[in-house]
Amino acid sequence: MAKYRLLLVEDDTSLGYVLTEYLKMKNFSVLWVKNGKDALTVLLEQPFDLCIFDIMMPDMDGFQLAENINQKNITIPFLFLTARSLKIDLLKGFSLGAIDYIRKPIDEEELVVRLNSLLSILKKTDQKEEELYKIGKYSFSPSNYELKIYDEKRHLTARESELLLYLLKNKNNISRHSDILNTLWGKNDYFNRKSLNVFITHLRKYLSKDDSIKIDNIHNQGFILITSSE
Amino acid sequence: MAKYRLLLVEDDTSLGYVLTEYLKMKNFSVLWVKNGKDALTVLLEQPFDLCIFDIMMPDMDGFQLAENINQKNITIPFLFLTARSLKIDLLKGFSLGAIDYIRKPIDEEELVVRLNSLLSILKKTDQKEEELYKIGKYSFSPSNYELKIYDEKRHLTARESELLLYLLKNKNNISRHSDILNTLWGKNDYFNRKSLNVFITHLRKYLSKDDSIKIDNIHNQGFILITSSE
DNA sequence: ATGAAAGATTAATCAAAGGTTAAAGCCTAG
DNA sequence: CTAGGCTTTAACCTTTGATTAATCTTTCAT
């Protein structure tokens, strides 16, 4: 089983250290940062499966961090792990989109089973791959990497296929640069972005035989596969 | 939003009644049964989105119920809601496939947000809950930066979109210069104010196809998006 | 009424982002 | 170990859009 990648945001040095080591021992890949600002930076650059936020931290607290994530349209599951046990805080946490709110002091073993439970739910809902997609006059089979129009077939490469699938899953909605890159490339930097452009060019060429289909760029935001038909 | 269907398995009559009524008030559809046997029967007959199991019950306890479910390959998400607070019980609960383990006494409000959170993760597939604003004859999707009237679509830039969203949130109320500038630009000076004017001009042009919409200036105060319709 | 400040509009500017093509690396099967 | 296909990097060109500027028009206090 692939390691799950966790981002731990915790300003308390000793707790942060203990948790990081424990979770690593339990076969998680953990990045520990000590404040919300650093968290935002790495979230834009690297993919994670789940984030764990402390609330009370200097500079940017956990709530502010969650607000920032929502505002920036970063799609990442997160939960709060906090000493703040008041109900009002819990309600606020969930209303910000947290998938859990765990009160300190936490038993490490309990934390691990809760993390695994949440991660397995998240994974289950993410995996749903259909057999055949219709794109205007084209049809696309992600499992064979095959793009067909009329009788013409074209075999896409793995990357081309993944990218097209990603765009299709968000058909007529923005697929954000950062989300694409984090999902397909695993990181988001200058070179990946360039690479992404190259593959977008490929897909546009392959799909050029049906004018009702286009891949638009939304400046500084992402790409959007538009099918005007249907 | 469609009602979620819950199955509550709880032998305590007064708690069962209170919970059922409370959850119904919170727009859940609830079936309450008092033992594991009845639970199994209705699970085979009716669909549910989520089940809530007490543990300590006569005849068949919650753990046995969960074991039965696994053995019969019934795929249904369930969680435990129990007075048994020992870690060993929690670990057993998760190992049986529970998606949460909530210790009594439970605050009803907290229970509801936890249920909603879990259900929204589970239903992530049809979680296409993109917000859409109506502005007279226009509709605006902030996540796609898309402004639509009839069949015409226009993609706004990030700034245009943010500004329109800000005005919409204060629809028919004044959006102050200083508030807009501080929120979107992060500072408020001569040049930003000039920039803001330019974007207001853009939005006015984009929205000019419906006379019932206008963006008025309140001298020295701010702007106000007015929709006379509705 | 009048002048200064504020607002509206259009256009110019320029750095950043995107597009395209080709060459360079990198795997992997044979 | 090498040939061929795929991905990444590079080079170069085009487009985009926030800002600034320039020029009118409106508002408001006096």
Side-chain angles (χ1 to χ4, degrees):
Chain A
M1 190 190 70
K3 276 191 185 186
Y4 284 115
R5 291 148 303 181
L6 304 179
L7 175 63
L8 174 64
V9 189
E10 167 66 65
D11 68 317
D12 182 294
T13 308
S14 60
L15 177 62
Y17 178 77
V18 168
L19 271 184
T20 303
E21 290 309 308
Y22 186 79
L23 291 169
K24 279 183 178 167
M25 197 182 76
K26 290 296 181 178
N27 198 36
F28 291 96
S29 152
V30 186
L31 180 61
W32 166 31
V33 300
K34 296 199 181 67
N35 62 71
K37 228 173 219 166
D38 290 351
L40 273 178
T41 309
V42 297
L43 276 172
L44 289 170
E45 286 169 353
Q46 296 176 44
F48 295 93
D49 295 302
L50 181 57
C51 302
I52 303 168
F53 298 163
D54 187 17
I55 292 181
M56 285 176 287
M57 294 184 291
D59 285 335
M60 186 190 291
D61 71 28
F63 287 145
Q64 292 170 319
L65 174 55
E67 277 162 11
N68 261 283
I69 283 172
N70 291 330
Q71 209 176 1
K72 291 192 164 56
N73 278 308
I74 303 172
T75 50
I76 179 79
F78 60 86
L79 58 84
F80 291 107
L81 176 57
T82 176
R84 285 172 74 153
S85 60
L86 289 182
K87 185 169 85 173
I88 185 87
D89 288 321
L90 175 136
L91 295 179
K92 181 169 182 185
F94 275 108
S95 78
L96 287 169
I99 62 170
D100 206 347
Y101 188 98
I102 303 177
R103 296 178 170 104
K104 293 176 186 170
I106 176 66
D107 176 273
E108 282 104 345
E109 220 172 337
E110 173 170 344
L111 177 63
V112 167
V113 297
R114 286 191 179 275
L115 291 177
N116 277 322
S117 169
L118 290 166
L119 285 162
S120 80
I121 303 175
L122 290 166
K123 200 175 70 178
K124 208 176 293 170
T125 56
D126 279 348
Q127 67 170 32
K128 39 135 190 169
E129 215 147 293
E130 288 173 41
E131 273 308 298
L132 200 72
Y133 286 85
K134 284 261 155 214
I135 327 169
K137 294 172 185 154
Y138 290 86
S139 63
F140 171 57
S141 160
S143 47
N144 329 324
Y145 299 164
E146 197 176 74
L147 184 65
K148 208 187 306 188
I149 182 167
Y150 309 129
D151 286 346
E152 275 175 71
K153 294 177 184 175
R154 175 191 290 274
H155 206 76
L156 304 190
T157 70
R159 271 271 193 272
E160 288 165 354
S161 222
E162 287 170 3
L163 178 56
L164 180 54
L165 185 58
Y166 194 102
L167 294 170
L168 276 170
K169 283 185 174 168
N170 296 288
K171 191 169 71 164
N172 295 320
N173 286 99
I174 287 189
S175 303
R176 294 182 173 278
H177 291 139
S178 54
D179 292 342
I180 298 174
L181 291 170
N182 283 329
T183 306
L184 304 195
W185 272 264
K187 63 180 174 176
N188 175 356
D189 64 22
Y190 173 82
F191 291 109
N192 299 320
R193 245 162 287 156
K194 287 296 184 188
S195 222
L196 172 57
N197 285 339
V198 174
F199 283 98
I200 289 287
T201 301
H202 292 171
L203 291 184
R204 280 179 177 145
K205 196 159 64 185
Y206 303 159
L207 294 171
S208 60
K209 292 197 173 151
D210 182 345
D211 291 337
S212 70
I213 306 165
K214 55 181 176 170
I215 299 176
D216 273 6
N217 170 257
I218 313 293
H219 197 87
N220 237 343
Q221 305 298 323
F223 294 99
I224 177 168
L225 176 72
I226 299 179
T227 59
S228 46
S229 57
E230 304 144 61
Chain B
M1 192 191 72
K3 277 191 184 186
Y4 285 115
R5 290 148 304 179
L6 303 180
L7 174 63
L8 173 63
V9 189
E10 169 64 64
D11 68 317
D12 181 296
T13 309
S14 62
L15 177 61
Y17 178 77
V18 168
L19 271 184
T20 303
E21 290 309 308
Y22 186 79
L23 291 169
K24 280 183 178 169
M25 194 182 77
K26 290 296 180 178
N27 199 37
F28 290 97
S29 152
V30 186
L31 179 62
W32 166 31
V33 299
K34 295 199 181 71
N35 61 72
K37 226 170 222 168
D38 290 351
L40 274 179
T41 310
V42 296
L43 275 172
L44 290 169
E45 288 168 353
Q46 297 177 42
F48 294 94
D49 295 303
L50 180 57
C51 301
I52 303 168
F53 298 163
D54 186 20
I55 293 181
M56 285 176 289
M57 294 183 293
D59 285 337
M60 186 190 292
D61 72 25
F63 287 146
Q64 292 171 319
L65 174 56
E67 279 162 9
N68 260 284
I69 283 171
N70 291 331
Q71 212 175 356
K72 291 188 164 57
N73 277 309
I74 304 172
T75 52
I76 178 78
F78 60 87
L79 58 82
F80 290 108
L81 175 58
T82 176
R84 287 175 68 155
S85 61
L86 289 181
K87 186 168 87 174
I88 184 85
D89 288 321
L90 176 136
L91 296 179
K92 180 168 182 188
F94 275 108
S95 77
L96 287 169
I99 62 170
D100 205 348
Y101 188 99
I102 304 176
R103 295 178 173 102
K104 294 178 187 171
I106 176 66
D107 177 273
E108 282 103 346
E109 220 173 336
E110 174 170 342
L111 176 63
V112 166
V113 297
R114 287 191 179 275
L115 291 178
N116 276 321
S117 168
L118 291 166
L119 286 163
S120 84
I121 304 174
L122 290 167
K123 295 288 167 192
K124 202 174 181 184
T125 42
D126 35 41
Q127 178 222 29
K128 257 290 167 42
E129 171 231 329
E130 72 184 74
E131 40 178 353
L132 200 74
Y133 287 85
K134 285 266 156 214
I135 327 170
K137 293 172 186 154
Y138 289 86
S139 63
F140 172 57
S141 159
S143 53
N144 285 341
Y145 304 98
E146 193 179 76
L147 184 66
K148 205 187 310 189
I149 182 166
Y150 309 127
D151 284 347
E152 277 176 69
K153 294 174 184 174
R154 174 191 292 275
H155 277 114
L156 306 190
T157 71
R159 269 271 192 275
E160 288 165 355
S161 230
E162 287 169 1
L163 178 57
L164 180 54
L165 187 59
Y166 194 102
L167 294 170
L168 275 171
K169 283 186 174 164
N170 297 287
K171 191 169 72 164
N172 296 321
N173 284 297
I174 190 165
S175 303
R176 302 190 162 274
H177 291 140
S178 54
D179 293 341
I180 298 173
L181 290 170
N182 285 325
T183 306
L184 303 196
W185 272 263
K187 63 180 174 176
N188 174 357
D189 64 23
Y190 173 82
F191 290 109
N192 298 320
R193 242 162 290 152
K194 288 296 184 190
S195 223
L196 172 57
N197 285 337
V198 173
F199 284 99
I200 289 289
T201 301
H202 292 171
L203 291 184
R204 281 179 177 145
K205 194 159 66 185
Y206 302 158
L207 293 171
S208 61
K209 293 200 172 149
D210 182 344
D211 292 336
S212 68
I213 306 165
K214 54 182 176 169
I215 300 176
D216 275 5
N217 171 257
I218 313 292
H219 196 84
N220 246 339
Q221 304 297 318
F223 294 99
I224 177 167
L225 177 71
I226 298 178
T227 61
S228 47
S229 57
E230 305 142 60

